[in-house]
Structure formats: structure tokens, C-alpha cells
Amino acid sequence: MTKNILILPGDGIGQEVTSAMREVLHYLIDEQGIDLNISERDVGGSSYDQFGTPLTEETLGIAKNSDAILFGAVGGPQWDDLDWDHRPEQALLALRKSLGLFANLRPAFLFNELASASPLKNNIIENLDILIVRELTGGIYFGEPRGIVENESPKYGFNTMIYNEDEIRRIAKVAFEAAMNRNKKLCSVEKANVLEVSKFWRSIVTEMSSEYPEVELSHQLADNTAMQLVLNPNQYDVIVSSNLFGDMLSDIAATLSGSIGMLPSASLNSSSQGMYEPCHGSAPDIAGQGIANPIAMIASLAMAFEYSLDRIDLARRIESAIKTFISNGFRTKDITTSEEFIKTHEVAPIIVSLLKDGHE
Ligand code: NAD
């Protein structure tokens, strides 16, 4: 069946890194004769400038009918003063919400050749390869009731951390299944020592583990995980956590691997529809200079092949080509201290030649 892809380059370096990803995608389409229907639209500030909204109804409609959305990045100082509803970042939130993208997958890995770019010592960080699965549409960020009460003394603000069993089951299922495709270890992270919602989370995840006897399940308190990620990150394979804790932990994990320009992400719903994007933003400080690292975007394409396009074989080939690219010594500006580096537009042709020669 023909799969539908929507490309949303967005703003700043979003445009540049998406060009590189598009070259790799088109090479694979030609090589494999894959039946893909590709659309492309503006999003974020570039959509606002043309249509007065960061996400048009038309684009949202195409997104809803797409198997995979390849999203660059949005935002920039020229749009910072717009009212909330018109800000570029609203496009991201609207897409996540409309498509019900509840599972955020953020791999954090290190190419050993780049270990010196990590803030941690080489012996701690070497061979880092973690997947963080963060719940994205529930928990304290969305729980009701919430608010600020100003007409009482003292005034107060409050939020609600709430998860029902269906929400926990569906995110845990994604995490258990990811662990099955990796090293079969899953660590569920919460604060069961102080929060009822966490105690409940732990009981549901534990119950589900009987469906995945091959996966070694452990539980950890979130504050301990924050510490362990820095002390001994290689103890983890897959980590699953709620929206709030996952937010913090995935940022810590991302920092470990050196450059944000290397890390992809996926946000999925229960129909395997997904939005794939680099972890970085639109980087206005380097936009237009041709020095952005497009690897995170190209690795996001690999994730799209794995999770939404049923082509895990192509995902693995892209990932290996990226590995060979690094081990052959190619460096963009963000991952080298040398004055010699390759520019954004030079990356995809090298990745394509590695794919072509079967060096991946
Ligand atoms: P950022 O990720 O854009 O940049 C942070 C730093 O990392 C910058 O110094 C930048 O030059 C560098 N960097 C980022 N990606 C890089 C790459 N691929 N190659 C080389 N260097 C790279 O974060 P920021 O500066 O906080 O935000 C800039 C804009 O992006 C803001 O408008 C923000 O709202 C937006 N933003 C968008 C997203 C998204 O679209 N998903 C995510 C985060 C931030």
C-alpha cells in the first residue's frame, strides 16, 4: 500500500537540514522503487508569514492522512513577539495534539569517536546507546484541574498529575516493544515513594511485564535516574517515564552525547503514525550559514522507516551509513574543534555514496 509522507521543513536551519534529509530519501526511493506519496508544506514562522497562521487547516489535514511527518524545526526571533496562538511553536503542539502523538522516543547515543565532545569522561560515556520513551500527551502538563487562585490568601497555583490505566498501558507497550527490538532491558521511572500516581504507574507496568517475559524490567525513582544517567548511563537500554520526568531525563541524556545536532526523535500514536524531528530547534544563530549538522534530521528519517514505514532494513542502513560517516572522520562544525569541517550540503552526498557502495 502506498505510504504518505509529509515534509515540513519549517524555519531557520529546519530548511537546511531537511534539504539534506530529502536527498537521502530520494536516493532510497529510486534505489528501492518504494511507493511513497510525498507532500511538502510550510510550517511555523514561514507559514505564518504567508498565511497568517503557523499551521494551516490544509496542512493539518494532510498531516492527519500521513503515515510519517518529517519535521525540521520552527521558531526565530522575528516571531517571538507574536501572540501565543500565532507563535511558530504552536504548530508543533497542534500537530501532537491533533494526531494524538502520545509516545515520544528519544534515542541518546554516542559515537565513540566523538566522546571528547561529551561533558562526561570517556570511560563512563563510551558505547552509550539509550532509548528514552516519554509519555507526551498526559500527566501533569495536561491534568485537570489546574490553575492559579488569586482571590484567596495565601494565593496559590496548582496542577494535577493524573494517569489512567489505558494511558500507562499504551506507553508501556511502546517501551516493552522497543526493548524487545533492542537489548531487552526496560527501566520504568517514577516517584512511587511519594506519589500515588507513580505507585499506580508502577503496578500497571509490573502487571504488563508478564506479557513480555523476555524483557528484564526494573523500576527506579526519577531523582536516582537523573543521577545514574550521569554516573553510569550504560546500565540502561530503554527507559520509560511520564511526561514530566521524561522531559527532564531526555534532556539530560541528550546532553551526554555531545552535540544536539546528532539526535533524532519520534512521536507516535497507536496507529504507528509518527512525527519525526531532530531534537534541536531552528538555531537562528547559525541559520543561513550552511554549517548546521543535518545528521539528526537524517537519523529522524531512519526512525520514520523503522516505526511508520515498515522498513526497518532501511532504518538500519541509514544508521550504519551515519556510523561509517563518523568513523571515516567526516565532521560538521559542531562536532569538531578543527578549522576544517564539511558544510551542511556536503553531508547527504557522502551518506548517499556510502549507501550506494554498501559501506554502511
Ligand atoms: P536550538 O536547538 O535551535 O539551538 C541551540 C544551540 O545549538 C545553538 O547554538 C545552535 O546553533 C546549536 N544547534 C542546534 N542545532 C544544531 C545543528 N543541527 N547543527 C549545529 N548546531 C546546532 O535551540 P534555541 O536556540 O533554544 O532555540 C532557537 C529557536 O528554535 C527558538 O525559536 C525555539 O523556540 C525554537 N525551537 C524549536 C524546536 C522545534 O521546532 N522542535 C525545538 C527547540 C527550540
Side-chain angles (χ1 to χ4, degrees):
M1 219 171 72
T2 309
K3 297 270 189 187
N4 297 319
I5 289 189
L6 172 62
I7 300 179
L8 299 173
D11 310 318
I13 66 164
Q15 298 275 345
E16 301 163 46
V17 297
T18 305
S19 287
M21 180 279 298
R22 209 188 282 113
E23 268 184 72
V24 176
L25 173 61
H26 283 292
Y27 169 72
L28 287 170
I29 289 174
D30 291 346
E31 184 205 74
Q32 300 278 315
I34 316 169
D35 196 8
L36 285 179
N37 175 25
I38 302 178
S39 312
E40 186 157 337
R41 291 291 183 276
D42 287 305
V43 74
S46 52
S47 170
Y48 175 79
D49 287 347
Q50 282 190 68
F51 308 111
T53 170
L55 181 71
T56 65
E57 283 301 320
E58 192 228 0
T59 304
L60 181 59
I62 300 173
K64 285 181 179 165
N65 284 319
S66 298
D67 297 283
I69 300 158
L70 294 158
F71 191 100
V74 292
Q78 62 272 52
W79 301 290
D80 276 354
D81 295 330
L82 290 175
D83 63 84
W84 189 248
D85 287 346
H86 291 103
R87 291 186 58 131
E89 293 79 4
Q90 282 304 312
L92 258 177
L93 301 181
L95 282 164
R96 281 181 190 158
K97 194 165 170 220
S98 308
L99 277 70
L101 303 174
F102 68 89
N104 185 221
L105 275 57
R106 290 201 18 194
F109 49 83
L110 178 82
F111 296 103
N112 287 342
E113 295 90 337
L114 302 182
S116 58
S118 169
L120 296 192
K121 293 194 181 96
N122 286 14
N123 63 328
I124 292 180
I125 202 72
E126 259 170 17
N127 304 319
L128 176 82
D129 184 4
I130 302 175
L131 177 68
I132 301 207
V133 179
R134 168 189 168 197
E135 202 289 326
L136 202 59
T137 55
I140 198 164
Y141 292 174
F142 295 92
E144 297 284 349
R146 59 195 293 157
I148 297 175
V149 175
E150 308 234 35
N151 58 359
E152 286 180 30
S153 182
K155 301 169 189 171
Y156 61 96
F158 64 103
N159 288 86
T160 303
M161 193 171 195
I162 181 166
Y163 275 110
N164 68 39
E165 62 175 315
D166 296 344
E167 289 171 312
I168 301 170
R169 277 184 209 288
R170 67 181 185 177
I171 192 72
K173 181 169 186 279
V174 171
F176 274 113
E177 282 173 5
M180 286 294 291
N181 284 329
R182 293 173 47 102
N183 293 323
K184 301 189 172 59
K185 274 174 69 180
L186 175 62
C187 181
S188 171
V189 175
E190 22 64 359
K191 284 287 286 177
N193 56 339
V194 285
L195 298 172
E196 281 79 1
V197 59
S198 286
K199 228 171 153 176
F200 182 62
W201 172 289
R202 190 179 283 208
S203 71
I204 298 290
V205 175
T206 304
E207 197 183 299
M208 283 186 70
S209 67
S210 62
E211 293 168 40
Y212 301 90
E214 287 175 62
V215 177
E216 180 195 321
L217 173 68
S218 60
H219 303 276
Q220 215 169 53
L221 301 177
D223 45 345
N224 186 21
T225 309
M227 190 171 73
Q228 294 296 330
L229 272 172
V230 177
L231 289 176
N232 178 17
N234 279 321
Q235 68 187 278
Y236 301 109
D237 177 23
V238 179
I239 291 175
V240 62
S241 199
S242 62
N243 207 341
L244 173 66
F245 300 139
D247 194 0
M248 320 275 160
L249 298 174
S250 54
D251 270 20
I252 298 175
T255 313
L256 302 181
S257 58
S259 172
I260 197 166
M262 304 290 293
L263 295 177
S265 78
S267 303
L268 309 175
N269 66 19
S270 27
S271 327
S272 300
Q273 197 179 21
M275 183 153 78
Y276 299 87
E277 52 177 322
C279 287
H280 60 75
S282 57
D285 55 333
I286 58 164
Q289 297 177 29
I291 56 170
N293 183 349
I295 294 289
M297 188 73 227
I298 295 171
S300 298
L301 173 66
M303 292 189 86
F305 275 121
E306 175 163 1
Y307 292 101
S308 291
L309 303 174
D310 298 331
R311 289 300 302 262
I312 197 166
D313 57 324
L314 297 183
R316 293 293 169 264
R317 282 183 64 201
I318 297 172
E319 286 161 3
S320 320
I322 292 173
K323 225 174 228 169
T324 311
F325 173 91
I326 295 293
S327 59
N328 285 356
F330 294 109
R331 299 286 182 270
T332 46
K333 189 168 191 292
D334 55 312
I335 51 173
T336 183
T337 47
S338 155
E339 287 304 306
E340 278 182 31
F341 51 83
I342 58 170
K343 299 200 85 176
T344 314
H345 73 273
E346 295 173 283
V347 175
I350 298 169
I351 298 282
V352 165
S353 74
L354 291 169
L355 288 167
K356 223 181 243 174
D357 299 345
H359 281 313
E360 73 275 7

